[in-house]
């Protein structure tokens, strides 16, 4: 019996439960009088239906998550000694073969008797598991219907109970965000700790050389990978700096013009147009950078005798800056609009021109908010991935020359994790360590920025 | 007061010209900044469109292929040598070609997909065997590039992807009316391929849709419920403050970190199938959830308190007030936020790279656990391919992606204008 079928049956049962509950409520009410019923009949129906559906569905969900793990363990336990003692990755291969054999897909090794026996075992286990799940789930569902159905009486507070259940579900949903954060921290932290057991923490943070290659054999040349992340941090900072040099002046001036000078018509046209820039997927920017901007920069600057790499930090930073313009401008727009008009009027009354008012009154008043916005933009730039993956380099150069190719944290994470992975090599684990640093840095920037913006908002409220 | 005759007004007047000039300058900077930003936008669009519009047309070559009965085994039509038949057809057209290298050059004019096209044709209609069929087959990508003007005759032969003989054959074919540009249906109906002329976006598109479906069905109910609780029911305390700060922070976490989470938790821990829309949808759900929660809360907040008070006043419970009055009024706003969140998810690439949706997959995914890729990832893969013809494919795929994003945002705007009430 497949899971889809079980779910369909469960849905049908819940509908039946609803009908049963509401008719029972009406029947009970007939003897005692409808006015005596605590809740409207529909609530009795909901109550039965929820009790029938929710626990059974939760059980099914747990079953679906746990089944593969348990079944895998059982297959391995059923294999002969000889195969069980294989190293873990070989064992995984065997288990995969067994599964593929059952799903009639391609098999990597040859099919011997043991494997086909195990495949039979697997098929049986899976079928048993499904049947067991179906029986248990349906048993719970039907017995819940019966039990709650019997409880229905005019004094049963069905509405309150239904509302309690729904409220519980709402609370569960709202804690989801916490679980995501915990999930991120745990997943990144565990792998990072494994990494720092192999490569010392200070060597990672302060090392000057990055070449994440580990030898397969012990005697191979260049077997000692270097995991000094300084060149990567420097590259990330340089590209982010270039991006901010583009985005902050353009974004800020756009925001000032739109909120202080532009008439309604111009604003209605220009603002959505600027926001299109924020809606374009980053992979498109990456392609634009690699296809148009980088060759253009290279062509025009090499005319002046500069030696520009085709994956220069300048191109990546410039395009990233363009992407961030609307981010800076919409945040600055918000804070500039929040400056009370009375402050501007006061300045005009003293005879200041518009630009003087903006430069000497509005901007200083809005400065904390703008700084907060810029910090958020920096965190955006540091975490941006696709633009740099497609247009920045892979080699970790420690250089301050923006015409050279540099690499960033996100580029390294992608290159280390795309392709073949082995979860015990420092090469793969290094990606998680970089991810941890990335998460911490952006988190700190965000917290500071949110704090600054919030503080600033309170000032004028 | 430097001298008794000079008054304050004189000092002010003296500086006035300079101040007005600086005013003008400042104003100009503002216009210039907007102009420059919009210029970049225009540049981006023109660069994509100008390099991508040609991908919607494809060069086809007409061939007359003999299908002798002797070559076919009726019990197993797959066994026949279809590439050989195509080659025969080409040789018949140019009998003077004799040397090995020339033959190879001749065969390379036609896409390797021609043989499969022939195979499908024969399998669909067995009565064709024993006759000569005239079919239009896709030209090789180099030929296609030549007719689209990316390969010039003026370039010395050694630097050209097509040699002089190939060009002369093409001229003969063209003279006979055997070369034609047509609308490129392959681009919309095929999966990925190493051959640019056979590559299409259908596989990636299906993968994207399946992924989005999972994202929508998970993130909208969960996000909506979380927003309702936080906005309508939650007590003001430390714990709720923490949840709120958490959601705001999650909205700003780099998307690649969600990819790391997906890799470590969903794939390595829960053994969700790698590269599948299922795991992609789960990761994108985590990413869009904060966006939807924030937008939904704003929508709920804009419902005036008088509505709630009226409902409570006639005896509705808190839950009934929310379910019957607040939620229906806030729904357009919540849906708008969801569509915007979905648009973000559709364009997201980085986390999908982490969970293996970057693999080369030819088949069109049929279910949530099949290996698949997504539209933006396909763009990334094609952008990495060295063939010249993939540049236009990439741009064309970007155009399709942007068209969808624009459509989604347009729907969101319409929804907002149509249903949002100002109180």
């Amino acid at each position: 019996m497949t899971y889809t079928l079980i779910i369909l049956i469960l849905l049908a049962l819940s509908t039946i439960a609803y009908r049963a509950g509401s008719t029972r409520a009406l029947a009970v009410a007939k003897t005692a009088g409808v006015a005596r019923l605590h809740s409207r009949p529909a609530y009795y129906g909901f109550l039965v239906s929820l009790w029938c559906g929710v626990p059974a569905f939760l059980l099914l969900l747990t079953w679906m998550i746990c089944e593969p793990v348990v079944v895998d363990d059982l297959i391995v336990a059923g294999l002969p000694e000889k195969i069980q003692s294989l190293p873990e990755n070989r064992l995984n291969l065997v288990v995969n073969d067994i599964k593929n054999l059952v799903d009639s897909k391609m098999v990597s090794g040859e099919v011997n008797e043991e494997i086909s026996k195990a495949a039979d075992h697997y098929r049986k286990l899976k079928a048993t598991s499904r049947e067991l799940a179906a029986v248990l789930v349906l048993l719970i569902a039907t017995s819940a219907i019966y039990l709650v159905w019997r409880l229905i009486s005019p004094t049963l507070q069905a509405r309150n109970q239904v509302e309690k259940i729904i409220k519980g579900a709402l609370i569960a949903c709202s804690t989801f965000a916490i679980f995501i954060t915990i999930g991120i921290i745990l997943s990144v932290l565990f792998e990072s700790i494994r990494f720092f057991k192999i490569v010392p923490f200070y060597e990672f943070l302060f090392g000057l050389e990055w070449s994440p290659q580990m030898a397969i054999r012990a005697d191979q040349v260049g077997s000692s990978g270097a995991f000094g992340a300084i060149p990567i941090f420097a590259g990330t900072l340089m590209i982010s700096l270039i991006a901010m040099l583009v985005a902050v002046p353009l974004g800020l001036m756009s925001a000032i013009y739109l909120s202080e000078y532009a008439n309604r018509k111009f604003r209605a046209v220009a603002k959505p147009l600027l926001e299109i820039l924020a809606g374009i997927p980053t992979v498109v920017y990456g392609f634009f950078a690699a296809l148009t901007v980088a060759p253009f920069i290279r062509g025009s600057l090499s005319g002046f005798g500069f030696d520009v790499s085709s994956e220069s930090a300048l191109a990546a930073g410039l395009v990233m800056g363009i992407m961030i313009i609307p981010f800076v401008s919409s945040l600055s727009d918000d804070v500039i609009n929040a400056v009370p008009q009375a402050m501007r009027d006061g300045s005009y009354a003293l005879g200041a021109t518009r630009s003087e008012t903006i430069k000497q009154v509005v901007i200083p008043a809005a400065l904390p908010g703008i700084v907060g916005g810029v910090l958020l933009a920096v965190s955006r730039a540091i975490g941006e991935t696709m633009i740099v993956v497609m247009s920045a380099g892979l080699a970790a150069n420690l250089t301050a020359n923006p015409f050279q190719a540099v690499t960033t944290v996100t580029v390294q994470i992608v290159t280390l994790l795309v392709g073949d992975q082995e979860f015990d090599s420092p090469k793969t684990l290094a990606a998680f360590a970089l991810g941890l640093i990335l998460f911490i840095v952006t988190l700190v920037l965000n917290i500071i920025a949110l704090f600054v913006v919030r503080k600033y908002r309170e000032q004028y409220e | 007061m430097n001298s008794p005759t000079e008054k304050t007004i004189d000092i002010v007047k003296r500086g006035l010209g300079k101040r007005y000039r600086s005013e003008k300058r400042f104003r100009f900077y503002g216009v210039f900044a907007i102009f420059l930003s919009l210029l970049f936008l225009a540049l981006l669009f023109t660069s994509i469109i100008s390099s991508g519009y040609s991908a919607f047309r494809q060069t086809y070559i007409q061939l007359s292929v003999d299908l002798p009965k002797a070559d076919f085994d009726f019990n197993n039509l797959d066994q026949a040598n279809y590439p050989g038949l195509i080659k025969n057809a080409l040789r018949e057209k140019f009998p003077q070609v004799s040397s090995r290298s020339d033959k190879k050059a001749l065969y390379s004019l036609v896409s390797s997909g021609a043989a499969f096209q022939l195979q499908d044709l024969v399998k669909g209609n067995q009565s064709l065997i024993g006759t000569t069929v005239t079919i239009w087959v896709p030209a090789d990508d180099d030929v296609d590039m030549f007719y689209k003007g990316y390969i010039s005759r003026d370039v010395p032969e050694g630097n050209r992807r097509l040699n002089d003989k190939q060009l002369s054959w093409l001229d003969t074919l063209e003279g006979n009316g055997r070369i034609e540009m047509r609308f490129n249906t392959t681009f919309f109906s095929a999966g990925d391929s190493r051959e640019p002329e056979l590559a299409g976006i259908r596989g990636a598109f299906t993968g994207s849709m399946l992924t989005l479906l999972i994202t929508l069905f998970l993130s909208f109910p969960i996000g909506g419920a979380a927003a309702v609780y936080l906005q309508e029911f939650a007590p003001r305390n430390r714990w709720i403050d923490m949840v709120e700060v958490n959601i705001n922070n999650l909205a700003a976490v780099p998307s690649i970190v969600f990819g790391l989470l997906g890799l470590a938790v969903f794939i390595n821990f829960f053994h969700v199938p790698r590269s599948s829309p299922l795991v992609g949808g789960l990761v994108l759900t985590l990413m869009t959830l904060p966006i939807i929660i924030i937008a939904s809360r704003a929508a709920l907040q804009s419902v005036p308190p008088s509505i709630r008070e009226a409902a409570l006043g006639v005896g509705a419970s808190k839950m009934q007030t929310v379910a019957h009055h607040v939620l229906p009024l806030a729904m357009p706003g919540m849906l708008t936020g969801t569509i915007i969140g979905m648009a973000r998810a559709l364009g997201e690439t980085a986390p999908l790279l982490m969970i293996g949706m970057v693999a080369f997959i030819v088949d069109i995914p049929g279910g949530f656990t099949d290996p698949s890729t997504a539209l933006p990832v396909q763009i990334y893969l094609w952008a990495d391919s060295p063939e010249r013809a993939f540049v236009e494919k990439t741009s064309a795929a970007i155009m399709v992606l942007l068209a969808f994003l624009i459509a989604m945002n347009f729907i969101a705007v319409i929804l907002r204008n149509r249903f949002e009430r100002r109180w």
Side-chain angles (χ1 to χ4, degrees):
Chain A
M1 204 182 263
T2 61
Y3 286 137
T4 339
L5 191 60
I6 301 179
I7 289 173
L8 283 178
I9 293 176
L10 205 56
L11 279 177
L13 271 180
S14 304
T15 329
I16 295 168
Y18 174 79
R19 301 281 307 178
S22 49
T23 44
R24 165 88 176 177
L26 280 174
V28 170
K30 232 169 223 163
T31 51
V34 178
R36 285 296 192 81
L37 214 52
H38 173 269
S39 314
R40 287 160 60 201
Y43 280 104
Y44 293 91
F46 278 129
L47 188 64
V48 183
S49 172
L50 283 174
W51 273 107
C52 157
V54 175
F57 183 71
L58 287 181
L59 176 79
L60 189 63
L61 204 67
T62 346
W63 198 282
M64 279 163 99
I65 292 169
C66 295
E67 192 214 61
V69 185
V70 176
V71 168
D72 276 10
D73 284 352
L74 284 177
I75 301 176
V76 173
L79 287 171
E81 271 308 299
K82 191 181 73 181
I83 301 181
Q84 270 194 53
S85 56
L86 284 173
E88 198 180 338
N89 46 2
R90 289 286 303 277
L91 195 62
N92 281 337
L93 210 64
V94 172
V95 172
N96 258 334
D97 269 359
I98 294 169
K99 282 185 190 166
N100 287 345
L101 201 63
V102 172
D103 300 341
S104 60
K105 284 185 197 156
M106 301 278 270
V107 179
S108 71
E110 57 191 295
V111 181
N112 52 25
E113 200 179 333
E114 282 152 5
I115 300 274
S116 54
K117 219 188 222 166
D120 273 346
H121 185 47
Y122 174 68
R123 201 175 292 138
K124 263 186 215 142
L125 274 177
K126 223 171 157 180
T128 329
S129 144
R130 297 285 151 96
E131 270 159 26
L132 204 62
V135 169
L136 270 179
V137 163
L138 300 182
L139 197 70
I140 287 184
T142 42
S143 52
I145 295 182
Y146 179 67
L147 287 177
V148 183
W149 185 77
R150 271 192 51 184
L151 273 180
I152 292 177
S153 72
T155 48
L156 179 70
Q157 303 193 327
R159 180 177 55 78
N160 304 34
Q161 294 203 13
V162 169
E163 289 184 354
K164 224 177 251 169
I165 295 174
I166 293 178
K167 200 168 168 186
L170 292 183
I171 292 176
C173 287
S174 67
T175 52
F176 217 80
I178 302 269
F179 286 118
I180 298 176
T181 312
I182 294 174
I184 290 177
I185 293 172
L186 288 188
S187 60
V188 181
L189 201 62
F190 269 129
E191 309 287 350
S192 304
I193 288 173
R194 283 172 67 191
F195 174 72
F196 290 129
K197 271 183 193 153
I198 307 169
V199 178
F201 186 64
Y202 63 88
E203 194 186 310
F204 173 72
L205 268 194
F206 302 109
L208 292 182
E209 200 176 327
W210 177 266
S211 65
Q213 293 304 325
M214 285 309 254
I216 301 165
R217 302 184 314 275
D219 58 337
Q220 201 171 322
V221 181
S223 63
S224 62
F227 291 93
I230 287 287
I232 304 182
F233 297 151
T236 311
L237 279 184
M238 178 148 83
I239 290 186
S240 306
L241 188 72
I242 296 171
M244 297 323 287
L245 285 180
V246 174
V248 170
L250 286 181
L252 195 56
M253 281 314 291
S254 309
I256 288 172
Y257 188 83
L258 284 177
S259 59
E260 298 287 323
Y261 286 106
N263 56 21
R264 190 173 288 221
K265 248 186 193 163
F266 184 79
R267 199 178 149 86
V269 176
K271 207 168 179 216
L273 276 179
L274 271 184
E275 267 154 25
I276 292 180
L277 278 174
I280 292 174
T282 51
V283 67
V284 177
Y285 281 111
F287 182 63
F288 177 61
L291 181 81
T292 314
V293 178
F296 174 76
I297 287 179
R298 191 179 181 180
S300 57
L301 285 185
S302 55
F304 295 104
F306 289 112
D307 178 28
V308 184
S309 150
S310 62
E311 293 177 325
S312 63
L314 193 61
L318 184 69
V319 173
M320 196 190 275
I322 297 172
M323 185 197 83
I324 296 175
I325 290 173
F327 200 72
V328 175
S329 83
S330 74
L331 283 172
S332 323
D333 202 33
D334 284 351
V335 288
I336 288 172
N337 279 332
V339 174
Q341 184 62 29
M343 290 176 75
R344 293 188 188 89
D345 292 343
S347 168
Y348 294 145
L350 290 174
T353 63
R354 261 181 159 172
S355 63
E356 284 161 356
T357 307
I358 293 167
K359 279 187 271 192
Q360 285 161 19
V361 177
V362 177
I363 296 287
L367 200 60
I370 292 173
V371 170
V374 170
L375 283 182
L376 278 181
V378 172
S379 119
R380 209 14 122 68
I382 290 176
E384 171 46 46
T385 310
M386 288 323 289
I387 294 178
V388 278
V389 166
M390 293 170 81
S391 66
L394 289 178
N397 289 328
L398 188 55
T399 169
N401 180 356
F403 303 131
Q404 289 262 305
V406 293
T407 189
T408 73
V409 174
T410 48
V411 172
Q412 287 306 315
I413 295 177
V414 169
T415 39
L416 291 176
L417 280 185
V418 170
D420 297 329
Q421 296 160 1
E422 248 184 282
F423 267 85
D424 42 7
S425 87
K427 192 176 160 184
T428 322
L429 295 176
F432 284 90
L434 286 174
L436 179 69
I437 302 286
L438 181 67
F439 180 69
I440 292 173
V441 169
T442 50
L443 191 70
V444 168
L445 277 174
N446 292 337
I447 289 176
I448 295 174
L450 288 175
F451 178 76
V452 168
V453 171
R454 194 188 261 188
K455 257 272 172 317
Y456 158 77
R457 285 233 176 93
E458 281 161 6
Q459 211 177 334
Y460 293 115
E461 259 166 14
Chain B
M1 306 294 151
N2 297 340
S3 64
T5 50
E6 196 177 50
K7 293 183 182 152
T8 315
I9 188 73
D10 296 322
I11 304 173
V12 170
K13 270 184 181 153
R14 205 152 8 105
L16 218 49
K18 201 173 145 202
R19 285 171 63 200
Y20 281 156
R21 275 198 299 284
S22 116
E23 166 79 27
K24 253 189 192 156
R25 224 170 20 243
F26 190 73
R27 212 181 152 131
F28 170 74
Y29 292 149
V31 178
F32 184 70
I34 293 178
F35 171 75
L36 209 61
S37 313
L38 295 184
L39 183 76
F40 282 131
L41 183 68
L43 207 66
L44 180 91
F45 273 94
T46 43
S47 120
I48 299 286
I49 291 174
S50 67
S51 67
Y53 76 96
S54 54
F56 295 112
R57 295 181 74 71
Q58 156 81 31
T59 313
Y60 284 83
I61 297 179
Q62 192 188 39
L63 288 182
S64 305
V65 189
D66 281 333
L67 303 172
K69 274 208 173 80
D71 285 5
F72 291 93
D73 171 6
F74 277 89
N75 298 319
N76 195 351
L77 287 173
D78 290 333
Q79 287 286 313
N81 180 11
Y82 294 99
L85 291 171
I86 297 279
K87 284 176 188 171
N88 285 342
L90 278 166
R91 252 201 328 270
E92 243 167 66
K93 199 90 196 58
F94 299 100
Q96 72 278 15
V97 177
S98 56
S99 83
R100 243 180 102 86
S101 62
D102 281 357
K103 273 185 191 166
K104 213 175 157 198
L106 177 63
Y107 300 153
S108 73
L109 290 181
V110 171
S111 161
S112 57
F116 296 107
Q117 195 186 330
L118 188 65
Q119 185 173 355
D120 288 343
L121 188 74
V122 172
K123 275 164 82 179
N125 186 359
Q126 294 198 5
S127 64
L128 290 175
I129 295 172
T131 63
T132 301
V133 289
T134 306
I135 52 170
W136 286 94
V137 297
D140 188 63
D141 55 315
D142 287 332
V143 177
D144 192 39
M145 286 295 102
F146 171 68
Y147 280 104
K148 283 170 181 165
Y150 295 115
I151 295 177
S152 163
R153 276 175 206 272
D154 307 331
V155 176
E157 194 179 356
N159 298 340
R160 211 186 309 127
R161 299 270 300 170
L162 294 172
N163 61 33
D164 288 341
K165 276 187 189 151
Q166 283 174 311
L167 289 185
S168 72
W169 296 327
L170 286 176
D171 289 340
T172 322
L173 284 171
E174 201 184 3
N176 297 344
R178 282 176 179 268
I179 286 186
E180 214 176 82
M181 289 280 251
R182 292 188 182 178
F183 183 69
N184 186 0
T185 49
T186 316
F187 184 69
F188 295 100
S189 63
D192 197 6
S193 170
R194 294 274 187 237
E195 303 292 330
E197 72 274 10
L198 300 177
I201 55 168
R202 175 131 171 245
F205 184 74
T206 318
S208 266
M209 286 301 127
L210 291 174
T211 311
L212 274 195
L213 214 60
I214 289 191
T215 312
L216 180 64
F217 276 102
L218 286 176
S219 63
F220 180 57
I222 297 177
V228 166
Y229 180 73
L230 292 175
Q231 195 65 32
E232 302 289 332
F233 294 99
R236 295 273 134 234
N237 60 22
R238 268 238 164 120
W239 167 248
I240 297 299
D241 263 359
M242 208 179 92
V243 173
E244 283 178 8
V245 169
N246 217 308
I247 290 171
N248 284 333
N249 274 328
L250 272 186
V253 166
S255 59
I256 194 168
V257 174
F258 287 101
L260 288 175
L261 167 76
L263 179 63
V265 174
F266 294 138
I267 293 182
N268 285 348
F269 192 72
F270 286 124
H271 298 286
V272 182
R274 231 179 121 76
S275 314
S276 64
L278 180 63
V279 67
L282 287 173
V283 168
L284 291 182
T285 300
L286 304 186
M287 226 194 67
T288 44
L289 210 52
I291 303 176
I292 292 180
I293 294 178
I294 291 169
S296 301
R297 286 192 69 176
L300 287 166
Q301 200 166 23
S302 70
V303 177
S306 59
I307 302 270
R308 295 183 186 85
E309 282 149 17
L312 292 172
V314 295
S317 71
K318 187 91 197 180
M319 190 66 74
Q320 285 169 327
T321 306
V322 173
H324 299 168
H325 303 285
V326 179
L327 213 50
L329 289 171
M331 201 42 94
M334 289 169 77
L335 284 178
T336 311
T338 307
I339 293 175
I340 289 170
M342 288 297 118
R344 273 276 289 280
L346 176 60
E348 198 53 64
T349 323
L352 301 183
L353 299 184
M354 298 286 96
I355 52 170
M357 287 188 89
V358 60
F360 173 71
I361 289 151
V362 179
D363 294 330
I364 288 153
F368 292 113
T369 50
D370 286 353
S372 81
T373 172
L375 203 47
V377 183
Q378 186 71 75
I379 290 169
Y380 166 67
L381 284 172
W382 280 351
D384 252 10
S385 301
E387 285 95 344
R388 176 66 186 77
F390 270 125
V391 172
E392 62 164 30
K393 299 275 173 208
T394 314
S395 304
I398 288 176
M399 282 157 75
V400 173
L401 179 65
L402 286 180
F404 267 90
L405 291 179
I406 289 170
M408 283 167 97
N409 282 303
F410 193 65
I411 292 171
V413 168
I414 288 182
L415 206 65
R416 183 157 46 197
N417 292 346
R418 191 92 192 259
F419 293 103
E420 198 174 51
R421 286 161 78 172
R422 296 250 164 228
W423 304 91

